Amino acid sequence: MKRVIVKCPGTVANLVCGFDVLGLALQEPADILELQLIDEPVVRITNRDAYNLPTEPEKNVAGVVLLSIMQHCNNAFGFEVAIEKRIKPGSGIGSSAASAAGAAVAANYLLNNQFTKEELVQFAMNGEKLASGVKHADNIAPGIYGGVTLIRSIYPLDIISIDAPSLFVTVVHPQIEVRTSDARQILKQQVQLKDAIRQWGNVAGLVAGFMKGDYELIGRSLEDVIIEPVRSILIPGFDAVKKDCIDAGALGGGISGSGPSIFMLSKDAVTANKVAAVMQNVYQQIGIDHHVYVTAINKSGVTVVEEG
Ligand code: ADP
């Protein structure tokens, strides 16, 4: 029987100003997912971690994605999947998307790479719908394509890979839970025209900054006048982290996905490490357990680490 092991990277969605349309893949943290093709048209899930995620395929993001691939192929086969989750669910660094993207890429590998990346995003979005109630691709697209991605449209799907210069990413995960569905519910349904203008100026500026390798422009464009003012209220210490990190030399940053993680981009590793110390300091003072990652943009997305 064919089997494959893939590494499924964490991802940062939104990138501050690009709510639901921008995302990037991280080198760390990453889940490990092992997938085996079986003759029986069923999905069997095993957890290799302590998170106790559901093993019924309809309730696990990886299961939903695999079922949708099986259905597309007339249920001619099934899968056994073992998940070692290293990205804590509900962290805001794309834990559910890592399983969705990983399951789609691994299944495709076992099926002789018959699907395009865009088709894999379509399958994987079924999993994100389970986790957050909406089909969105801002974690899945960078997970599958790697690097920075723009999801210009979901219907029809239009994904653009954005070139980016070398960037270090520091992420702090305060150990509190913010559910994606809750973080969506508190958002206002209307925006002021003046805010929309400022926001799309920033989105365009950020994309241009990435493509030109213009660090100053990237920094200036990491501003969110629509989502952050509402969502940051759910994250204790947010304002202090942001201010202190920028004072320490970060280009900028903000809420990772729907939080509670906060990410910061830096030009070099020395600054990224200083930023990590600043983040730790803020959460030590507030007395909230936290975990910090100093990492970089992952240009490859989900990768095969073992086959056979
Ligand atoms: P994140 O941004 O970290 O992905 P979400 O809140 O979007 O967090 O998703 C986590 C939710 O999805 C949790 O309720 C979790 O139980 C559920 N879930 C189901 N299957 C998985 C999976 N394979 N990996 C992660 N979360 C999963």
Side-chain angles (χ1 to χ4, degrees):
M1 278 297 153
K2 285 171 79 182
R3 77 174 190 115
V4 67
I5 298 176
V6 292
K7 190 172 171 187
C8 326
T11 43
V12 173
N14 300 341
L15 302 185
V16 186
C17 52
F19 181 62
D20 273 4
V21 301
L22 287 173
L24 62 76
L26 297 168
Q27 278 177 6
E28 294 298 332
D31 289 353
I32 301 294
L33 183 145
E34 181 171 344
L35 191 70
Q36 187 161 339
L37 200 58
I38 56 173
D39 290 334
E40 230 182 313
V42 291
V43 174
R44 287 193 202 99
I45 300 175
T46 319
N47 289 321
R48 289 183 177 158
D49 52 57
Y51 293 118
N52 242 333
L53 288 171
T55 50
E56 301 96 310
E58 300 78 14
K59 292 187 184 159
N60 188 302
V61 164
V64 170
V65 174
L66 295 171
L67 287 173
S68 71
I69 294 176
M70 284 159 56
Q71 199 181 12
H72 180 89
C73 301
N74 301 319
N75 288 317
F77 48 78
F79 294 102
E80 272 177 15
V81 57
I83 304 168
E84 182 187 336
K85 196 143 276 294
R86 298 178 183 171
I87 313 165
K88 197 172 173 186
S91 55
I93 32 184
S95 178
S96 51
S99 286
V105 171
N108 193 36
Y109 185 85
L110 297 181
L111 299 170
N112 304 317
N113 292 315
Q114 60 178 280
F115 299 114
T116 63
K117 284 186 175 171
E118 200 177 289
E119 286 168 326
L120 296 181
V121 171
Q122 296 277 15
F123 288 126
M125 280 201 301
N126 296 320
E128 280 298 65
K129 185 153 196 295
L130 172 78
S132 68
V134 234
K135 269 196 179 181
H136 61 106
D138 46 353
N139 288 106
I140 285 169
I144 288 176
Y145 286 70
V148 178
T149 54
L150 165 69
I151 300 98
R152 194 199 61 82
S153 156
I154 293 265
Y155 304 108
L157 196 57
D158 190 3
I159 298 168
I160 300 106
S161 281
I162 306 290
D163 278 343
S166 161
L167 279 165
F168 290 82
V169 193
T170 316
V171 183
V172 62
H173 176 204
Q175 308 285 303
I176 53 166
E177 200 183 345
V178 175
R179 295 183 74 86
T180 305
S181 44
D182 296 343
R184 272 186 184 261
Q185 259 169 17
I186 62 163
L187 298 177
K188 292 183 198 145
Q189 290 305 310
Q190 262 92 39
V191 296
Q192 299 256 337
L193 183 61
K194 68 172 176 41
D195 291 337
I197 293 167
R198 198 161 176 100
Q199 198 86 353
W200 60 57
N202 281 325
V203 176
L206 186 57
V207 170
F210 281 139
M211 297 189 76
K212 289 162 70 116
D214 183 337
Y215 290 105
E216 303 300 319
L217 178 57
I218 291 170
R220 289 202 299 285
S221 307
L222 287 167
E223 179 195 55
D224 175 4
V225 294
I226 296 175
I227 310 295
E228 184 181 289
V230 183
R231 273 199 178 161
S232 57
I233 295 160
L234 300 174
I235 307 171
F238 179 82
D239 293 340
V241 167
K242 198 166 168 180
K243 185 186 173 301
D244 295 357
C245 290
I246 289 170
D247 289 349
L251 296 169
I255 305 171
S256 177
S258 54
S261 291
I262 304 170
F263 81 102
M264 286 286 152
L265 299 182
S266 299
K267 218 162 141 176
D268 55 78
V270 174
T271 311
N273 281 302
K274 265 195 220 163
V275 165
V278 162
M279 289 168 164
Q280 272 159 344
N281 190 36
V282 170
Y283 282 109
Q284 263 155 20
Q285 281 184 9
I286 310 178
I288 292 180
D289 279 347
H290 54 278
H291 194 91
V292 178
Y293 303 92
V294 180
T295 183
I297 296 182
N298 169 342
K299 303 243 179 203
S300 2
V302 177
T303 44
V304 172
V305 290
E306 204 183 301
E307 57 186 301

